Amino acid sequence: MDYLRPQTVAEALAAIAQAGGTATVIAGGTDIIGDIKFRGLKPTALININRLEGLRYITEDASGLRIGALTNIQDLVGNPIIVKSYTALGDAGERFASLQVRNLATVAGSLGRASPGGDMAPPLMALGASVIAVSPSGEREIDLVDFFLGPRRTVLRPGELMREIRIPAPGPRSGSAYARLSYRDVLDLCIVGVASGIKLDAGNRVTSARLALGSVAPRPVRAANVEAFLLGKELTDEVIREAGNVSSQDANPISDQRASAEYRKQMMPVLTRRSLARARDAALG
Amino acid sequence: MTKAEVRATINGRERELRVDPWRTLLEMLRDDMELTGTKLGCEAGECGACTVLMDGKPVVSCMSLAADADGRTIETIEGISTAEHLHPLQDEFLKLSAFQCGYCAPGMIMSSKALLEHNPHPTEREIREAIAGNLCRCTAYVGIVKAIQNVAAEGVS
Ligand SMILES: Cc1cc2nc3c(=O)[nH]c(=O)nc-3n(C[C@H](O)[C@H](O)[C@H](O)COP(=O)(O)OP(=O)(O)OC[C@H]3O[C@@H](n4cnc5c(N)ncnc54)[C@H](O)[C@@H]3O)c2cc1C
Ligand code: FES
Ligand code: FES
């Protein structure tokens, strides 16, 4: 097996191209190491991108937030910019795995894994995020809504790397939240996760709503029916309650070892309400 | 086959090793360096028995590549005491008999040490959060939390 630890993105892209499409890219390693140990992955070439220079940052400017691909999940937790304006992402960071895993796992690694229950995708989708992907032929920006194809499958092409995640500035009177259900609070994957990103006008009417659901479909999905229902309505407790009911039209979850389809279906409205109520607090707070 | 070069400060000493690229930090510590104080439990990131500090932060060494220790500072349970002096956390755990079988102890102590270093006066909730990734199969949690509280109250020397 070949092993390479490039220092720069250009070196990494060259190394991947040279390995000819069969290279395994490893960042924090919390998924890939498990694949090697337990799931029979035998990389022909291991390309360790964990130490690429300058890919670990959280910065905000007028256009919004930029997160470097190698930013650790724990870097999100308690970050003042995220606490203030991107609450959903902080919610997800806090409930992700355990501290010892969060100190290793990366934000891009979570997207790269494309797990249907991954905790980074729903909040990022609700915040309108996109991924900046780089390849030897240049850069492209991919809206996260178009990014996931199914479990472990994304639109990234062989040889393409994620460099950055971008979130547009949410603007005044906007708020976001992520509500997540699991049997244990720590080290337990999500049964149903609902992220909301909303904007309100002076009369508390919803001018923009993005909701994303985790663990209820083969890939994270937007809750189109809830979004349409909310638009233009004053976000009262009653509207939040009804929005919860509408959410059951937005996915057809399956049964697996963690929960039955019926349970998931019943929990979608509950989590949708929790998420929306918290997003409203964030918008008005 | 290509080997990965690791130059790291491990328990205060500069070390140089050549390891297989997929070798985990836990395997390097236990098998290559005979630092067997760090325990192997689930080997899947879920129990915290293998917790060590990397640049001061707790990580599960079973889910980290040895190669990623290159250029970093690693601290294991062997590094926190001397033959004459135990770390205050170790003293207090002994005094209270806070562990039962003790298998979770090295990981638990490393997580507690990291907590007290950046938050010397944690609340009980903060203590429980800090050790949430460390499972104790003997469920000795009440004594473990108490020991950490006592050390925090006395101040870590
Ligand atoms: C005990 C445990 C608990 C966990 N709990 C949770 C949880 O609660 N919630 C959750 O969402 N996940 C959880 N996970 C899963 C895992 O931690 C995440 O998926 C993590 O974010 C992966 O990041 P990484 O950097 O470790 O990825 P890696 O294992 O390094 O890589 C993951 C995938 O992404 C690709 N990749 C990584 N970086 C890039 C890049 N820059 N460009 C292109 N492709 C890239 C890799 O090739 C690989 O396919 C858990 C894992 C463990 C071991
Ligand atoms: S052995 Fe590493 S977390 Fe269990
Ligand atoms: S004392 Fe036995 S596992 Fe904790």
Side-chain angles (χ1 to χ4, degrees):
Chain A
M1 183 177 82
D2 283 332
Y3 172 74
L4 288 158
R5 199 182 79 185
Q7 303 283 317
T8 65
V9 173
E11 278 175 32
L13 292 173
I16 298 168
Q18 189 139 37
T22 56
T24 299
V25 169
I26 185 165
T30 61
D31 285 317
I32 294 285
I33 293 174
D35 289 347
I36 294 176
K37 280 203 261 197
F38 307 118
R39 292 180 283 271
L41 176 68
K42 292 194 176 67
T44 53
L46 195 61
I47 301 188
N48 184 345
I49 63 164
N50 208 17
R51 306 296 272 281
L52 294 185
E53 287 153 11
L55 286 191
R56 192 172 162 193
Y57 54 84
I58 300 171
T59 53
E60 192 184 36
D61 61 21
S63 67
L65 192 72
R66 291 160 192 266
I67 302 173
L70 293 176
T71 303
N72 284 133
I73 307 294
Q74 183 62 14
D75 297 335
L76 306 172
V77 179
N79 176 290
I81 304 169
I82 288 176
V83 169
K84 183 166 176 284
S85 313
Y86 307 88
T87 321
L89 206 48
D91 291 348
E94 276 174 23
R95 289 275 69 100
F96 192 106
S98 66
L99 176 60
Q100 294 101 307
V101 174
R102 296 198 293 270
N103 277 330
L104 296 169
T106 66
V107 177
S110 176
L111 302 180
R113 183 59 161 192
S115 161
D119 285 307
M120 283 295 116
L124 285 170
M125 276 168 83
L127 289 163
S130 57
V131 168
I132 307 296
V134 284
S135 70
S137 56
E139 268 195 14
R140 60 179 180 138
E141 183 164 357
I142 308 163
D143 191 321
L144 211 52
V145 172
D146 306 318
F147 185 77
F148 301 104
L149 296 174
R152 299 195 196 181
R153 286 173 52 236
T154 70
V155 299
L156 285 181
R157 302 178 189 127
E160 222 172 12
L161 283 180
M162 285 175 264
R163 185 174 67 73
E164 185 176 85
I165 292 117
R166 283 192 192 155
I167 302 177
R173 294 181 74 79
S174 54
S176 68
Y178 178 55
R180 170 197 204 276
L181 183 69
S182 56
Y183 296 110
R184 292 180 70 230
D185 277 347
V186 182
L187 280 170
D188 200 0
L189 296 180
C190 163
I191 296 167
V192 174
V194 181
S196 321
I198 53 161
K199 275 188 191 120
L200 303 176
D201 69 10
N204 288 350
R205 275 182 303 267
V206 178
T207 57
S208 152
R210 281 197 211 96
L211 280 90
L213 311 173
S215 291
V216 293
R219 58 196 172 107
V221 287
R222 289 271 293 271
N225 289 299
V226 180
E227 293 174 359
F229 169 79
L230 287 173
L231 217 57
K233 290 204 177 61
E234 188 184 336
L235 198 56
T236 59
D237 290 346
E238 179 56 22
V239 166
I240 288 180
R241 206 187 59 75
E242 278 178 50
N245 299 342
V246 174
S247 73
S248 55
Q249 300 163 24
D250 275 315
N252 285 306
I254 56 158
S255 298
D256 62 14
Q257 71 277 20
R258 232 167 298 138
S260 67
E262 294 76 12
Y263 183 60
R264 285 202 164 92
K265 194 101 183 170
Q266 296 211 19
M267 289 301 110
M268 282 166 58
V270 177
L271 275 292
T272 300
R273 288 179 200 126
R274 283 184 197 164
S275 170
L276 276 172
R278 206 173 128 69
R280 180 181 60 183
D281 289 349
L284 302 177
Chain B
M1 188 200 320
T2 335
K3 294 266 183 182
E5 308 267 348
V6 183
R7 279 190 206 82
T9 307
I10 297 173
N11 294 333
R13 283 181 55 198
E14 300 282 339
R15 304 296 298 256
E16 269 192 57
L17 289 103
R18 287 163 59 79
V19 296
D20 285 333
W22 60 85
R23 200 153 183 77
T24 64
L25 177 56
L26 178 65
E27 290 163 342
M28 181 181 93
L29 292 170
R30 286 183 58 89
D31 302 340
D32 301 343
M33 306 184 68
E34 295 184 12
L35 291 171
T36 52
T38 303
K39 297 303 172 210
L40 182 159
C42 64
E43 226 188 332
E46 295 184 358
C47 75
C50 65
T51 302
V52 301
L53 306 190
M54 188 185 277
D55 290 344
K57 294 179 181 174
V59 298
V60 278
S61 59
C62 70
M63 293 305 264
S64 181
L65 289 185
D68 279 337
D70 189 42
R72 313 244 202 204
T73 298
I74 306 292
E75 216 180 341
T76 72
I77 190 74
E78 288 90 346
I80 72 167
S81 59
T82 62
E84 297 80 42
H85 294 287
L86 291 180
H87 187 276
L89 278 163
Q90 293 171 307
D91 270 331
E92 192 61 27
F93 276 114
L94 273 177
K95 206 170 100 195
L96 294 191
S97 297
F99 292 112
Q100 292 177 30
C101 78
Y103 203 79
C104 67
M108 210 54 101
I109 290 174
M110 296 317 284
S111 286
S112 318
K113 181 172 186 281
L115 168 72
L116 296 181
E117 268 161 21
H118 81 262
N119 181 3
H121 301 291
T123 61
E124 181 179 343
R125 196 187 152 74
E126 286 167 337
I127 293 174
R128 288 184 178 274
E129 286 275 341
I131 59 168
N134 295 85
L135 300 190
C136 173
R137 285 205 71 177
C138 306
T139 66
Y141 296 108
V142 172
I144 291 169
V145 171
K146 184 76 199 144
I148 301 169
Q149 283 175 319
N150 288 355
V151 175
E154 286 157 24
V156 195
S157 51

